[in-house]
Amino acid sequence: SQTIHQWPATLVQPVGSPLSLECTVEGTSNPNLYWYRQAAGRGLQLLFYSVGIGQISSEVPQNLSASRPQDRQFILSSKKLLLSDSGFYLCAWSVSSTYEQYFGPGTRLTVT
Amino acid sequence: GENVEQHPSTLSVQEGDSAVIKCTYSDSASNYFPWYKQELGKGPQLIIDIRSNVGEKKDQRIAVTLNKTAKHFSLHITETQPEDSAVYFCAASSNDMRFGAGTRLTVKP
């Protein structure tokens, strides 16, 4: 069966520090991968998606970036965090863009 | 692109009552409509989905209906229980998936 992992589960970082969040999927090949951000009590904002290694599409311009160095690994990064980057970050995978997405457990990021 | 609107944003019901959450979408090419349940501090979990060639689908106490002509779909939960309390998201997908803003459901014992 397929599983999706995210780490760390929680993170507290000062403004201006770098960020690296990692997501890995097991049990499937060539998945579509997604990064979402969820502000407190709000909906899901799609940040990036990837249909293959090295292929990244950005939905919203911001100081975040994403990379996909391996087929089942998706990384969210920032060189300098802003207070507004605080939120709940979710990684998800799907077989294709028109099929269900499966979400990871999320990373709670607090920028202080 | 697709735009999904979800109502209500909050919903409070007594245990045992029914709950209905409604969504509308804009892209007539959308053909897949999942519903997710998100408990506090966790990732959303798929609870039921429907494709455009089906008008209704049931899974125990949960059902989803789809009206393609009107471009709206709904989640129905019967005999609600306190453990149904969560945030529910609808989504619509054609070339990509778009989510509604979510409904916070509270089931009061």
Side-chain angles (χ1 to χ4, degrees):
Chain A
S1 63
Q2 301 86 10
T3 56
I4 179 168
H5 304 278
Q6 283 187 248
W7 64 91
T10 60
L11 190 60
V12 180
Q13 292 283 100
V15 169
S17 63
L19 173 73
S20 181
L21 303 181
E22 189 163 345
C23 170
T24 59
V25 181
E26 296 177 354
T28 186
S29 296
N30 196 32
N32 283 11
L33 295 172
Y34 308 85
W35 277 113
Y36 290 88
R37 177 169 58 201
Q38 188 175 32
R42 303 292 294 275
L44 300 166
Q45 179 189 27
L46 179 63
L47 301 175
F48 301 95
Y49 68 93
S50 171
V51 298
I53 295 175
Q55 300 178 61
I56 309 294
S57 296
S58 174
E59 285 286 306
V60 182
Q62 58 220 326
N63 71 323
L64 299 172
S65 62
S67 62
R68 185 171 177 173
Q70 300 181 42
D71 180 43
R72 290 169 290 177
Q73 184 185 30
F74 206 21
I75 296 173
L76 183 69
S77 303
S78 174
K79 293 182 178 178
K80 289 184 177 182
L81 284 168
L82 307 173
L83 284 174
S84 57
D85 291 323
S86 293
F88 192 47
Y89 287 82
L90 290 157
C91 180
W93 75 271
S94 69
V95 171
S96 78
S97 62
T98 57
Y99 281 77
E100 59 269 30
Q101 294 183 16
Y102 297 95
F103 287 84
T107 294
R108 173 78 56 194
L109 172 66
T110 303
V111 182
T112 60
Chain B
E2 177 66 274
N3 182 44
V4 179
E5 295 191 358
Q6 183 172 347
H7 301 279
S9 57
T10 61
L11 179 61
S12 181
V13 300
Q14 286 294 137
E15 182 177 0
D17 288 350
S18 296
V20 181
I21 302 171
K22 299 181 179 181
C23 289
T24 60
Y25 62 98
S26 60
D27 187 351
S28 57
S30 289
N31 56 10
Y32 175 62
F33 307 89
W35 285 88
Y36 290 83
K37 175 184 181 182
Q38 185 179 26
E39 297 179 341
L40 190 63
K42 298 183 179 180
Q45 298 295 309
L46 179 71
I47 55 171
I48 195 168
D49 55 9
I50 192 169
R51 295 199 176 270
S52 59
N53 58 345
V54 176
E56 182 176 2
K57 183 177 179 181
K58 284 186 178 180
D59 183 2
Q60 299 182 358
R61 297 186 295 109
I62 293 173
V64 57
T65 59
L66 171 64
N67 183 327
K68 283 214 71 180
T69 303
K71 290 191 281 189
H72 65 70
F73 56 113
S74 301
L75 177 71
H76 304 254
I77 306 174
T78 59
E79 300 173 21
T80 54
Q81 301 168 1
E83 51 265 38
D84 294 328
S85 296
V87 178
Y88 292 81
F89 292 96
C90 64
S93 178
S94 54
N95 291 322
D96 57 6
M97 188 172 295
R98 298 294 167 175
F99 289 83
T103 296
R104 181 174 299 279
L105 173 65
T106 302
V107 180
K108 295 179 286 186

